[in-house]
């Protein structure tokens, strides 16, 4: 593994540790909540603070890198040239506000469009899932095994709310009948982690932003899992995506069922 990946890994883990402590200490404090595009699309002062802190640290330590952050404190990114950081300061903001759990701090580093490092930190469970290209995925330093290649009918399927409630996704909902059961966590990052751990066979979700999927993509790649759009094309990290993260078998079945 290149030395610069190892030292960047250590640096990122230190930042996540420092910043997430502040989030945890403020979990019961009064949040300032603002609506973005819809009543279920919210941002809090904590989301903004976390992103600003990360942007400040990246700009100081890696001044020539570019940053794509959910809350807009990074750069306008129109290509994947060079080193690009993806930041989702709090993934699962609605859970953060209403449940005080089931949310994650997420980061990913890409070089010339290739996923190099990614981090999904389940803040309340104190579980850091991380990956370096070629080195697999770990949880708090413990390597995750490649999950068993389960078929859809052997496991649990996760989706996002839009698939459940929007008429145009009627044909997608029928997939659930083929699985053992359906789960909705409400954090794309934590649902990616479930696929990586083999505790669900697939996560399918619509209209996810680049920062929602960039970290999970490396986890799928490192564990021999599939990550595509609904049309079986690779993910597009410059635009919104309808995504399937799944075992190879479940992915094949889902692609047949929805297309
Ligand atoms: P967020 O909490 O960082 O916004 C919920 O199903 C998942 O979808 C979360 O990971 C959430 O990320 C993401 N998501 C992406 N776009 C969204 C939107 N417009 N409204 C709500 N959740 C969205
Ligand atoms: Ca977010």
């Amino acid at each position: 593994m290149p030395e610069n990946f190892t030292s960047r890994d250590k640096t990122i883990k230190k930042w996540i540790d420092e910043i997430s402590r502040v989030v945890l200490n403020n979990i019961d404090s009064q949040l300032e909540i603002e609506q973005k595009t819809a009543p279920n699309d919210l941002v809090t002062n904590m989301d903004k603070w976390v992103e600003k802190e990360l942007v400040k640290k990246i700009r100081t330590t890696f001044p020539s890198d570019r940053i794509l952050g959910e809350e807009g404190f990074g750069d306008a990114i129109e290509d994947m040239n060079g080193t690009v950081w993806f930041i989702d300061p709090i993934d699962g903001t609605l859970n953060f506000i209403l449940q005080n759990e089931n949310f994650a701090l997420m980061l990913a580093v890409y070089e010339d469009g290739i996923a190099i490092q990614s981090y999904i930190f389940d803040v309340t469970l104190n579980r850091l899932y991380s990956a370096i290209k070629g080195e697999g995925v770990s949880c708090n330093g413990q390597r995750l095994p490649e999950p068993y290649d389960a078929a859809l009918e052997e496991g649990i399927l996760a989706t996002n709310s839009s698939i459940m409630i929007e008429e145009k996704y009627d044909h997608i909902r029928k997939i659930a009948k083929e699985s053992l059961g359906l789960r909705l966590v409400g954090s794309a990052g934590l649902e990616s982690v479930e696929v990586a751990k083999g505790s669900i066979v697939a996560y399918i979700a619509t209209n996810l932003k680049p920062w929602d999927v960039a970290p999970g993509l490396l986890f799928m790649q490192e564990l021999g899992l599939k990550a595509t759009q609904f049309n079986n094309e690779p993910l597009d990290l410059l635009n919104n995506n309808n995504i399937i993260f799944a075992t190879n078998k479940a992915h094949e079945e889902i692609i047949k069922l929805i297309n």
Side-chain angles (χ1 to χ4, degrees):
M1 190 194 336
E3 179 53 36
N4 60 325
F5 294 176
T6 321
S7 79
R8 191 167 57 189
D9 179 65
K10 282 199 189 122
T11 304
I12 294 170
K13 284 175 173 163
K14 191 168 123 268
W15 293 347
I16 292 174
D17 181 60
E18 274 172 37
I19 291 173
S20 64
R21 279 171 201 274
V22 178
V23 177
L24 211 47
N25 286 337
N26 284 281
I27 207 158
D28 294 321
S29 65
Q30 189 72 41
L31 293 169
E32 291 157 32
I33 303 168
E34 286 167 55
Q35 187 170 312
K36 295 201 282 184
T37 60
N40 64 352
D41 188 13
L42 304 173
V43 60
T44 74
N45 53 312
M46 225 47 234
D47 299 61
K48 290 183 183 175
W49 180 81
V50 169
E51 183 165 314
K52 277 188 201 161
E53 283 300 302
L54 285 168
V55 167
K56 210 161 42 180
K57 288 177 188 295
I58 297 165
R59 294 224 192 278
T60 306
T61 317
F62 305 101
S64 54
D65 294 357
R66 295 183 300 151
I67 305 166
L68 183 56
E70 174 166 19
E71 311 310 343
F73 300 109
D75 305 298
I77 301 280
E78 286 171 1
D79 63 70
M80 292 291 290
N81 299 335
T83 304
V84 176
W85 294 67
F86 292 87
I87 304 176
D88 189 338
I90 296 183
D91 179 58
T93 298
L94 200 54
N95 293 347
F96 173 63
I97 296 167
L98 297 177
Q99 303 182 323
N100 293 162
E101 60 183 350
N102 299 320
F103 63 92
L105 191 164
M106 311 210 289
L107 266 180
V109 187
Y110 280 63
E111 291 184 359
D112 294 323
I114 296 167
I116 305 293
Q117 287 171 246
S118 75
Y119 302 83
I120 299 180
F121 184 50
D122 184 328
V123 176
T124 57
L125 291 184
N126 188 33
R127 287 189 189 147
L128 177 61
Y129 297 89
S130 63
I132 300 180
K133 184 177 164 49
E135 299 289 314
V137 183
S138 299
C139 174
N140 291 349
Q142 184 107 12
R143 186 93 177 247
L144 299 185
E146 279 192 17
Y148 161 67
D149 188 18
L152 193 50
E153 50 275 17
E154 291 178 284
I156 293 169
L157 171 74
T159 73
N160 66 341
S161 311
S162 300
I163 290 181
M164 299 308 297
I165 58 187
E166 288 181 37
E167 228 168 81
K168 66 179 175 191
Y169 297 127
D170 280 353
H171 66 296
I172 312 266
R173 280 198 294 281
K174 71 179 185 221
I175 305 168
K177 280 192 204 150
E178 309 298 320
S179 72
L180 285 181
L182 198 59
R183 300 286 184 275
L184 274 76
V185 174
S187 153
L190 295 180
E191 280 157 313
S192 315
V193 160
E194 294 302 306
V195 181
K197 284 162 56 181
S199 46
I200 63 174
V201 289
Y203 172 54
I204 55 172
T206 51
N207 213 24
L208 293 188
K209 314 288 185 328
W211 44 82
D212 293 316
V213 297
L217 175 56
L218 181 57
F219 289 6
M220 299 303 114
Q221 289 171 345
E222 287 297 308
L223 292 167
L225 296 159
K226 295 286 275 188
T228 71
Q229 300 188 51
F230 283 5
N231 60 8
N232 211 8
E233 291 290 319
L235 300 196
D236 171 1
L237 289 168
L238 298 171
N239 288 294
N240 291 0
N241 288 261
N242 294 338
I243 62 113
I244 308 170
F245 283 175
T247 63
N248 287 272
K249 276 191 190 153
H251 183 268
E252 199 180 329
E253 292 170 87
I254 292 167
I255 288 285
K256 276 191 198 142
L257 287 164
I258 66 177
N259 289 301

